[in-house]
Amino acid sequence: MLDKKQRVLQMLGLARRAGKLTTGEEGVLKKIRTQNTQIVFVASDGSERTKKKFVDKCKSYQVDINCDFTHQELSLAIGANRTVLAIDDLGFSKKIMMLLS
């Protein structure tokens, strides 16, 4: 059976294929500001500046943030080289939050 971390990564891949994922810093910042995302992922091995920027932004807009996955794990899960991603769908967000809790 897959562990929770693997299941979260699978969900990210599904969200990507369903078109329910925003990637890249600018796109994710826009989603946070317009409150069109419930959860943001930032690679644990991303730069401190990037992590701080997103942690602060998510805190001020009350968006959940997760920094438990590496750049490689996130990139492999979605099939693209990314450090920052946001889930745009309530269903995917709830399922992922449940797996992470």
Side-chain angles (χ1 to χ4, degrees), residues 17-100:
R17 289 191 293 282
K20 304 290 185 189
L21 199 66
T22 299
T23 64
E25 289 192 27
E26 285 311 305
V28 173
L29 280 172
K30 189 175 175 189
K31 288 284 179 183
I32 295 168
R33 284 193 207 105
T34 58
Q35 295 183 315
N36 284 329
T37 184
Q38 278 76 38
I39 184 165
V40 170
F41 287 85
V42 179
S44 57
D45 51 357
S47 75
E48 288 306 316
R49 192 182 71 82
T50 300
K51 282 194 280 193
K52 182 180 177 355
K53 175 167 57 174
F54 283 95
V55 166
D56 292 349
K57 190 64 77 179
C58 286
K59 193 178 280 178
S60 68
Y61 284 92
Q62 295 168 333
V63 172
D64 287 302
I65 186 165
N66 180 288
C67 300
D68 296 341
F69 298 93
T70 65
H71 174 84
Q72 184 179 13
E73 287 172 322
L74 293 174
S75 297
L76 283 172
I78 65 166
N81 195 13
R82 294 288 185 269
T83 304
V84 181
L85 14 132
I87 303 290
D88 305 340
D89 178 79
L90 193 59
F92 278 113
S93 296
K94 283 182 176 172
K95 178 74 175 160
I96 288 171
M97 300 291 278
M98 196 180 76
L99 289 168
L100 290 170

